[in-house]
């Protein structure tokens, strides 16, 4: 059976600012780059054989130190990409709350009921992320697989 080692990408400036990131391609901050090295420290002894990540740079960068150490490549996988927050992408938490307080309240209280305007629902994210995990499990049986994605995606597949 395939063994998955899941991680969320390291810190970005937008994490610190509490912005909805989604599909925006935001690179790791200096802190995030240090966190990527810590991920490599933790995963290197686990005999990782395959490395996959969301195609967004923050996820790819998180596993690059591990890939370098193991002489492997980080393979981008589209179905591991972050949730599409649609019109909310790039907004500060407070901006989203002010812009659409009703939707913000729904997201805070019952996120499973929300589909973002121009974006996705949690069910849609979970379906595509589980499809990715299932395909990797079939393609790489009995192997150790490192996967880096995003907070929402990782929560939905664990």
């Amino acid at each position: 059976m395939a063994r998955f080692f899941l991680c969320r990408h390291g810190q970005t400036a937008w994490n610190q600012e509490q912005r909805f990131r989604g599909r925006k391609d935001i690179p790791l901050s200096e802190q995030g780059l240090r966190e990527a090295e810590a991920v490599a420290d933790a995963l290197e002894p686990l005999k990782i054989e395959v490395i996959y990540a969301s195609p967004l740079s923050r996820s790819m960068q998180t596993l690059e130190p591990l890939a370098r150490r193991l002489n492997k490549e980080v393979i981008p996988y589209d179905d591991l990409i972050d949730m599409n927050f649609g019109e909310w992408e790039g907004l500060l938490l407070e901006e989203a709350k002010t812009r659409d307080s009703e939707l913000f309240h729904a997201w805070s209280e019952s996120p499973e009921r929300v589909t973002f305007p121009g974006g996705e629902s949690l069910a849609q994210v979970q379906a595509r992320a589980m499809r990715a995990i299932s395909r990797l499990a079939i393609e790489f049986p009995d192997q150790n697989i490192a996967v880096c994605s995003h907070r929402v995606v990782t929560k939905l597949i664990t």
Side-chain angles (χ1 to χ4, degrees), residues 64-156:
E64 284 172 0
L66 176 66
R68 270 194 311 275
R69 293 181 194 186
L70 299 178
N71 198 30
K72 297 190 181 296
E73 65 178 300
V74 182
I75 304 165
Y77 202 133
D78 288 343
D79 280 346
L80 296 171
I81 199 166
D82 203 359
M83 181 170 194
N84 184 345
F85 288 103
E87 295 173 9
W88 280 23
E89 290 193 5
L91 293 181
L92 292 166
L93 197 65
E94 285 302 315
E95 288 174 331
K97 190 175 187 179
T98 301
R99 184 175 176 175
D100 192 342
S101 61
E102 195 173 306
L103 184 62
F104 188 87
H105 179 73
W107 176 244
S108 299
E109 298 298 318
S110 301
E112 71 281 358
R113 294 182 176 182
V114 171
T115 300
F116 286 95
E120 292 179 292
S121 69
L122 290 175
Q124 290 170 313
V125 175
Q126 185 176 45
R128 69 173 162 74
M130 289 306 296
R131 183 174 58 237
I133 295 299
S134 296
R135 286 178 181 159
L136 291 173
I138 291 166
E139 189 173 345
F140 303 103
D142 301 317
Q143 292 190 33
N144 291 337
I145 306 166
V147 173
C148 185
S149 192
H150 308 271
R151 179 175 51 193
V152 171
V153 176
T154 302
K155 284 182 176 185
L156 291 171

Side-chain angles (χ1 to χ4, degrees), residues 16-74:
Q16 288 182 288
E17 297 170 4
Q18 295 189 334
R19 285 190 186 274
F20 284 88
R21 294 156 301 281
R23 305 286 176 91
K24 301 289 186 188
D25 199 8
I26 310 304
L28 293 179
S29 64
E30 288 301 315
Q31 175 64 32
L33 294 171
R34 288 190 295 276
E35 291 167 351
E37 291 293 338
V39 167
D41 291 343
L43 295 182
E44 187 176 15
L46 300 177
K47 299 180 181 171
I48 300 296
E49 296 157 293
V50 185
I51 304 172
Y52 278 86
S54 156
L56 296 175
S57 62
R58 57 191 182 267
S59 292
M60 298 289 289
Q61 286 179 300
T62 298
L63 290 180
E64 284 172 0
L66 176 66
R68 270 194 311 275
R69 293 181 194 186
L70 299 178
N71 198 30
K72 297 190 181 296
E73 65 178 300
V74 182

